[in-house]
Amino acid sequence: MTHHVGRTRWRRFATILVPGVAVCAGLGIAMAQGVLAASFLISGQKFQITADTLTARGLSIYGMVDVTKKGEKVPVLVTGARHATIGGLCESVPIDIPGLGSHTLKLTGGNDRPAEASHMFLDATFEAAGQANFKGVDIGIAQGEITKGPINPGDRDSRFFDPSGFGQQADSVSLTDVRATAVAVSAGTFDVPGLRVQIEQGDRPCF
């Protein structure tokens, strides 16, 4: 997992769309390679994700370093969930189309019925929520001792994973007005009702 900011070239457009085994784990709906998080090199392209509501059972939060195909290292905060429901999902990626200029690839879904994901991992450089309600929360637990939420198997075997590092876990969490800037999302399964993909002219991010 890793990457850096920049606009996506048109030839990379298809790669960003490819869902893989889970369209990206939980929030990202299809960001490119969707196996387990640390099992692939990230593109380095950052994208935005928003959700009106997000409820997770079995939460884990820990630090990691993702790596791009060029070998660049990107520090990320990994948020894992054994099961998540996401309402009002939006994902946006800026792209440059030769001869046509700046456009935005946008994916939306989960409006009439929430999207559901299992074993979801969000690798983010920024996360925020209007309100967060935790149940059974442990803050400051060693990363290697996290049991309530999942640890990506690829992360646990990574040289960047510190078993003694700072971690957080909770039995569950309910979030509203979620915003995140991410470099990777992966999930075991991802069911997105009412999925819609479109290309909009100009810079039209989710937030």
Side-chain angles (χ1 to χ4, degrees):
M1 316 192 284
T2 67
H3 36 308
H4 72 321
V5 193
R7 290 193 174 273
T8 301
R9 296 184 179 281
W10 182 246
R11 67 186 59 182
R12 294 183 186 171
F13 177 54
T15 304
I16 295 174
L17 272 180
V18 176
V21 166
V23 85
C24 12
L27 256 41
I29 302 194
M31 305 14 346
Q33 313 129 314
V35 211
L36 292 176
S39 62
F40 59 81
L41 297 174
I42 63 171
S43 70
Q45 175 73 37
K46 291 183 178 180
F47 50 91
Q48 292 186 331
I49 297 171
T50 62
D52 295 336
T53 61
L54 190 156
T55 300
R57 297 197 308 268
L59 179 74
S60 60
I61 300 175
Y62 57 94
M64 265 297 296
V65 175
D66 285 355
V67 181
T68 69
K69 191 171 183 178
K70 294 181 179 179
E72 297 167 329
K73 299 177 179 62
V74 182
V76 296
L77 181 68
V78 179
T79 300
R82 297 193 188 283
H83 182 270
T85 57
I86 307 150
L89 177 65
C90 176
E91 176 200 330
S92 63
V93 183
I95 59 176
D96 284 331
I97 302 177
L100 297 179
S102 299
H103 284 66
T104 301
L105 167 63
K106 186 171 290 186
L107 299 88
T108 57
N111 293 310
D112 296 330
R113 179 169 65 87
E116 295 189 43
S118 65
H119 284 82
M120 175 185 80
F121 296 95
L122 170 68
D123 294 14
T125 57
F126 168 81
E127 293 181 5
Q131 179 66 42
N133 297 317
F134 295 90
K135 290 185 178 180
V137 63
D138 300 315
I139 301 174
I141 187 172
Q143 293 181 173
E145 297 300 311
I146 291 175
T147 57
K148 293 181 179 180
I151 299 292
N152 190 300
D155 288 349
R156 194 179 291 278
D157 296 335
S158 169
R159 63 189 176 94
F160 297 112
F161 183 81
D162 181 3
S164 300
F166 185 93
Q168 181 173 327
Q169 64 177 357
D171 292 330
S172 64
V173 64
S174 295
L175 307 171
T176 60
D177 188 21
V178 179
R179 292 164 292 157
T181 300
V183 296
V185 182
S186 63
T189 62
F190 202 7
D191 175 19
V192 186
L195 176 64
R196 182 177 180 182
V197 181
Q198 60 185 352
I199 298 176
E200 301 178 355
Q201 186 173 15
D203 187 19
R204 297 178 177 273
C206 292
F207 69 90

